[in-house]
Amino acid sequence: MTFAFLCAILLSVGLLASAQNIQIQALPPTVSYGENDLVIVCSITNPSQLNAVFFIQLQRNSSTTFETVVSVADGTTPPLQWKDTQLQGRASATGNVDSPNTAQLRLTIVKDRVMCPSDFKMYMCRMLGISSNGSETVTQETSPIIISYIALPTVIELPRVKIIGENFDTPNRTFPVGTAFTLTCQGEIGSDQINTIRWCAQRANEMMFTGLPQTPIHSEASPSGCQYTRSSTITYNLTSQDTFTKFLCESGDTGLCGTGTAIQYVNISTSG
Ligand SMILES: *[C@@H]1O[C@H](CO)[C@@H](O)[C@H](O)[C@H]1NC(C)=O
Ligand SMILES: *[C@@H]1O[C@H](CO)[C@@H](O)[C@H](O)[C@H]1NC(C)=O
Ligand SMILES: *[C@@H]1O[C@H](CO)[C@@H](O)[C@H](O)[C@H]1NC(C)=O
Ligand SMILES: *[C@@H]1O[C@H](CO)[C@@H](O)[C@H](O)[C@H]1NC(C)=O
Ligand SMILES: *[C@@H]1O[C@H](CO)[C@@H](O)[C@H](O)[C@H]1NC(C)=O
């Protein structure tokens, strides 16, 4: 009983000594690129343990070392000082170290100024303060966090048409029944490289698009900024039912044809 009580005291002393006074938060934790601002907040978690805060720094890693992006300090004019002047041009920061209760540092990059992927690095916060009994300076830093993102595809090219056996794409969109051709579409697939481009078709007598049963041939995903791109090719034999058939290629879809965030169409008809 006594022993357990002693252990509990020792444990809580240990916890106090290592208590974290600063935290870092990304809001939201996963940024939807193009839709969310990128916001990072450094704030004090246990203000009662501190008498004063002298500075808070926000750092991010370039190559191997962390470098200060912006800081707020007691005794500098203005209190907020930018170190990363490139980021200063497209971001904003607010903060104060007036008291441990209110001290914080907030960086905001508005959605259309976020650079992807280069802004999605590791970030951490540092602080210097003095303990509440006034006798010890407290230097602390958070663990680094990685700000993650998702990007939805928006760009996909018009499907290209190539008659089987020919060497070049054809601008023609009317062919005899029995013609076999390939349709090829190239475009963004989003930030996850396992994503693909899919195909749907709608014949003249059909109410809506349905997925084509053909298995597309996909190129490797290649990175392009925040996203990956691919091309996708299907082979189609024109039948007598294809008097006027609309084809679509899309990515970023929810599963139903025509729900893609990137989508393009081609109309093929039969002649004769
Ligand atoms: C940041 O640091 C991590 C871990 O140290 C490293 O894997 C990553 O490549 C660094 N990021 C950049 C952009 O240098
Ligand atoms: C002051 O507080 C810190 C923890 O906040 C503690 O480690 C230190 O021993 C205290 N010093 C005195 C003189 O009480
Ligand atoms: C387009 O189709 C017409 C006949 O329908 C043909 O004469 C012409 O060569 C075709 N052009 C191409 C580029 O395939
Ligand atoms: C198209 O027709 C050819 C023979 O006419 C057949 O070998 C091929 O499998 C067909 N392709 C598709 C996608 O139906
Ligand atoms: C395909 O046909 C539809 C009419 O059903 C038309 O609105 C659309 O512009 C056509 N698209 C192309 C790419 O020709």
Side-chain angles (χ1 to χ4, degrees), residues 163 166 168-176 271:
I163 307 294
E166 291 187 356
F168 301 103
D169 296 337
T170 176
N172 282 0
R173 298 295 178 256
T174 303
F175 308 103
S271 59

Side-chain angles (χ1 to χ4, degrees), residues 3 11 17 32-33 38 74 77 96 109 150 201 214 252-253:
F3 179 70
L11 187 65
S32 188
Y33 177 55
L38 194 168
D74 184 21
T77 318
N96 76 83
I109 311 176
I150 51 167
Q214 285 91 335
D253 58 278

Side-chain angles (χ1 to χ4, degrees), residues 12 26 30-31 37 43-44 61 72 77-78 80 84 89 139 177 181 205 217 226 238 246 249:
S12 61
T30 298
V31 172
D37 297 346
S43 57
I44 303 298
N61 72 336
V72 59
T77 318
L80 208 71
D84 185 334
T139 315
V177 170
F181 56 86
N205 61 342
I217 295 168
C226 235
L238 212 56
K246 289 185 272 191
C249 63

Side-chain angles (χ1 to χ4, degrees), residues 1 37 64 175 177 182 233:
M1 184 69 181
D37 297 346
T64 52
F175 308 103
V177 170
T182 59
T233 299

